[in-house]
Amino acid sequence: MTLAPPSTSTATPDAGPTADSAPLLRPHAEQAYAGELAALTAADTRARPPSWRLSPWAVVTYLLGGVLDDGTVISPKYIGSRRLVEVAVATLATDRALLLLGSPGTAKSWLSEHLAAAVSGDSTLVVQGTAGTSEDAVRYGWNYARLIAEGPSPDALVPSPVMRAMTRGSIARVEELTRMGAEVQDALITVLSEKTLPVPELASEVQAVAGFAVIATANDRDRGVNEMSSALRRRFNTVVLPLPASEDAEVEIVTRRVADLGRTLALPDEPPAASEVRRVVQIFRELRAGVTRDGRTTLKSPTATLSTAEAISVITGGITLATHFGDGRLRAEDVAAGLVDAVIKDPATDPVAWREYLEGVVRDRKGWSDLYRACRDLDDDARVPGDA
């Protein structure tokens, strides 16, 4: 057998998209909504704080949606209390830092990103808090090759996102603040109180330009992991983001975000089956609350957070299954696998809560027999972890 020589052609008629032509999987907010931000900038005649791209009124309009005088439709990015959003925006117009606190999946990071995009036109100055985050991520680091060769110098210094935001008069974002160690958190105290960042190695400091602010997010389930010191907490205005107040609001959030993700993933450009979205949302809300919607049946709540973000993931996964392995129509069997996976996180306790809900609620609920069968079929194909 002889092997054909490799082709020297650089492209074929059926070649897939190149890295240059393929769409971004997750554009930044200022990229995804550049048209809306430009329209708001052109229409915005109200006073703007120093270094802000938009007035506070326009920032709120960008976040909550509206129609401009020229007919431009601004899509809502956050569905919730207007007053809550106004308080968050007003905080950034002062010298206070903003802490967005809430349960997992309450759009803390989403709101933080869009606030930074609307205020500064740049949402990328981010410190991601983890157990391994060091003070360098908040303050500054060094290019060690230059440090060894030249000694401490401005050229050898590597600014953190916070330092860059200070010099630009922009928004710095600190995600999952309470996942960072206390000593790393406290590196923010001087920045927030004095609006300076000392650089003792250079006998200098960086002073914040007007417009600089910090938006931090924290998960209220992480309380007790790395509690914020009282000194740091005093320097934040805290806005608590609640779970969606009603089932209808949560359904709207899930439907909108699934549509946005679907366009990025090249899924069919049509809304998901409303009935499946509503069922997933109702299941999540009932299991979170520990009681059915009619209040007649008490339920065991699983350890899973069952957040709105997870509901979005379940529906998006179901649409992907329906698109690539079905007829494109979202059905119960497409949703079931993601639903079970979202509920069962702890194999020791969650299967019991799920099985009781499945047999005690889903089985007898009118119009839900298809979902019950789909979940039972999954159990028959592969026993749910933890079952006998």
Side-chain angles (χ1 to χ4, degrees), residues 17-373:
T18 65
D20 291 335
S21 65
L24 294 173
L25 184 60
R26 174 61 165 82
H28 300 304
E30 59 270 21
Q31 296 172 317
Y33 297 95
E36 293 186 14
L37 289 168
L40 278 164
T41 300
D44 187 13
T45 59
R46 304 192 181 209
R48 306 177 188 183
S51 302
W52 281 41
R53 300 291 185 90
L54 298 171
S55 68
W57 171 87
V59 173
V60 171
T61 301
Y62 169 75
L63 291 168
L64 298 181
V67 180
L68 303 183
D69 291 341
D70 63 1
T72 301
V73 176
I74 306 300
S75 62
K77 319 301 180 302
Y78 178 80
I79 297 174
S81 165
R82 182 178 186 88
R83 176 52 63 176
L84 182 149
V85 173
E86 289 173 343
V87 169
V89 173
T91 294
L92 297 176
T94 70
D95 64 347
R96 300 277 290 176
L98 172 64
L99 175 63
L100 300 176
L101 179 68
S103 300
T106 48
K108 299 182 297 297
S109 296
W110 178 257
L111 184 57
S112 167
E113 178 184 359
H114 282 280
L115 279 167
V119 170
S120 302
D122 184 1
S123 64
T124 65
L125 299 175
V126 184
V127 176
Q128 181 60 57
T130 69
T133 301
S134 68
E135 283 191 52
D136 291 357
V138 174
R139 300 173 70 241
Y140 53 86
W142 296 98
N143 179 326
Y144 286 103
R146 300 197 68 163
L147 184 65
I148 293 171
E150 305 170 4
S153 70
D155 290 337
L157 186 142
V158 179
S160 69
V162 175
M163 180 180 281
R164 294 202 301 273
M166 293 175 71
T167 60
R168 299 177 190 175
S170 298
I171 300 291
R173 299 167 52 208
V174 181
E175 293 293 322
E176 303 293 351
L177 176 62
T178 52
R179 300 302 302 174
M180 303 189 304
E183 69 283 357
V184 181
Q185 293 180 29
D186 286 346
L188 283 169
I189 290 179
T190 301
V191 171
L192 299 182
S193 60
E194 304 298 328
K195 302 300 185 288
T196 62
L197 183 52
V199 187
E201 296 89 342
L202 301 179
S204 66
E205 64 181 13
V206 172
Q207 292 181 290
V209 172
F212 166 71
V214 172
I215 304 174
T217 66
N219 182 341
D220 60 9
R221 287 203 173 193
D222 286 338
R223 287 177 177 169
V225 177
N226 290 299
E227 282 285 358
M228 295 171 60
S229 67
S230 59
L232 181 58
R233 188 177 290 278
R234 286 196 306 270
R235 286 158 175 81
F236 282 99
N237 278 356
T238 301
V239 171
V240 179
L241 298 186
L243 290 165
S246 67
E247 184 178 302
D248 288 343
E250 193 161 1
V251 167
E252 183 181 357
I253 293 169
V254 172
T255 302
R256 285 182 178 275
R257 286 292 295 128
V258 167
D260 290 342
L261 289 170
R263 285 189 289 271
T264 301
L265 300 174
L267 296 174
D269 189 17
E270 59 183 52
S275 60
E276 298 303 334
V277 175
R278 187 165 292 277
R279 283 202 294 198
V280 170
V281 168
Q282 183 176 345
I283 290 169
F284 276 26
R285 291 180 71 87
E286 288 180 332
L287 287 174
R288 283 199 308 251
V291 65
T292 54
R293 184 167 58 181
D294 59 14
R296 295 179 179 178
T297 305
T298 301
L299 307 169
K300 289 181 180 177
S301 293
T303 59
T305 57
L306 300 178
S307 66
T308 307
E310 289 170 297
I312 293 167
S313 178
V314 170
I315 297 299
T316 303
I319 294 174
T320 305
L321 284 172
T323 299
H324 297 297
F325 303 106
D327 61 5
R329 182 181 176 188
L330 185 65
R331 293 182 170 86
E333 54 265 31
D334 303 312
V335 171
L339 181 60
V340 173
D341 182 63
V343 174
I344 298 178
K345 298 300 185 186
D346 184 345
T349 60
D350 291 346
V352 175
W354 172 243
R355 178 60 56 77
E356 289 187 4
Y357 182 78
L358 187 65
E359 298 296 336
V361 178
V362 176
R363 183 183 63 181
D364 300 325
R365 185 166 278 168
K366 185 178 180 180
W368 285 35
S369 59
D370 56 340
L371 182 61
Y372 174 75
R373 288 195 302 270

